[in-house]
Amino acid sequence: MEKRGRGGRVTPSQTPQQTPATPRRDRRASMFEKEAFAQILRERLRESIHDVQYVEPPFDDSIADIGKEWKSALAKLKFANSYRMQPLRKFQANSVESKVQQILKECLKDVKYDDKVFSHLSLELADRILLVVKEFGFHRYKFIVKVLFIQKTGQAINVASRWIWDVAWDSWVAVKHETESFVALALVFALYCE
């Protein structure tokens, strides 16, 4: 039965139209199916654009040797899982404290306060203290060394540090060296890495 408009005529919008036959698309593959996941990755890689830069290897052997030395210097010491939850030898704060005190006395015995000199001296002292602490051989400990120089001008100062650590194995040492013109404070934090 035909539907007619107001005038009794059949309007073109009311005539039944036949849709052209279009091929039906297959269902999109799910990424949770094993075979489909590889196909999805291939499609994504096909659509992506890659910019590749090529670096030529050095022709000079000396440059190649420098690169090898540089890589070996940056290589980190890796530990195998030992499943140890405690160190073989616990950090001994008393022996470290006496050694750090000795270093501060040696390096700062005839030094006057100068902010330009102390900016470099604090770095040198921190490196020297770190080397001495590492010589004690506390395995699986990481150390943080902080050296502060404070000029004496009649002021008060508070130094605070906060850390999250294991109270049983982690420790710290604070050593103070005082002269007429300044106060040197060296802090060494020892953190055990399981």
Side-chain angles (χ1 to χ4, degrees):
M1 177 160 147
E2 284 185 22
K3 291 187 178 182
R4 297 187 182 263
R6 283 192 178 195
R9 296 184 189 163
V10 178
T11 56
S13 63
Q14 293 176 345
T15 58
Q17 295 179 358
Q18 301 225 351
T19 57
T22 56
R24 187 172 185 174
R25 286 185 11 177
D26 290 335
R27 181 178 70 84
R28 186 172 160 192
S30 170
M31 65 181 278
F32 297 107
E33 297 172 5
K34 257 186 180 178
E35 296 83 23
F37 185 69
Q39 179 185 355
I40 290 170
L41 285 179
R42 271 188 244 112
E43 288 174 3
R44 286 183 184 168
L45 287 175
R46 203 176 314 125
E47 295 169 359
S48 64
I49 298 171
H50 300 283
D51 292 332
V52 178
Q53 295 179 354
Y54 177 72
V55 178
E56 292 184 2
F59 296 107
D60 189 10
D61 291 335
S62 62
I63 296 173
D65 292 338
I66 291 171
K68 289 175 187 173
E69 291 172 11
W70 181 69
K71 281 184 180 178
S72 65
L74 291 178
K76 287 189 175 183
L77 181 64
K78 293 184 180 179
F79 292 106
N81 289 338
S82 64
Y83 304 104
R84 294 188 58 85
M85 300 303 286
Q86 58 188 9
L88 293 172
R89 192 170 129 222
K90 191 175 175 181
F91 181 76
Q92 299 165 351
N94 293 336
S95 57
V96 171
E97 185 176 357
S98 62
K99 193 68 175 176
V100 172
Q101 184 70 45
Q102 180 184 354
I103 291 171
L104 289 179
K105 281 183 183 177
E106 286 175 9
C107 294
L108 304 174
K109 59 183 170 187
D110 296 327
V111 178
K112 298 291 180 190
Y113 185 83
D114 184 12
D115 55 349
K116 293 175 185 170
V117 173
F118 280 173
S119 63
H120 298 289
L121 187 60
S122 63
L123 293 174
E124 291 173 13
L125 276 174
D127 289 340
R128 187 170 175 186
I129 290 170
L130 182 62
L131 288 174
V132 168
V133 171
K134 283 184 176 181
E135 286 176 1
F136 279 99
F138 300 114
H139 294 290
R140 291 189 181 257
Y141 272 96
K142 287 191 177 183
F143 302 104
I144 300 170
V145 179
K146 190 175 187 178
V147 178
L148 302 169
F149 289 104
I150 305 148
Q151 184 180 12
K152 282 187 176 180
T153 57
Q155 82 279 18
I157 188 166
N158 290 326
V159 177
S161 300
R162 283 190 175 185
W163 304 93
I164 297 175
W165 64 19
D166 183 7
V167 179
W169 309 117
D170 300 342
S171 185
W172 64 283
V173 172
V175 179
K176 182 174 86 171
H177 178 76
E178 194 168 342
T179 65
E180 295 175 4
S181 60
F182 66 91
V183 175
L185 181 64
L187 302 169
V188 179
F189 298 96
L191 307 170
Y192 180 66
C193 296
E194 298 170 347

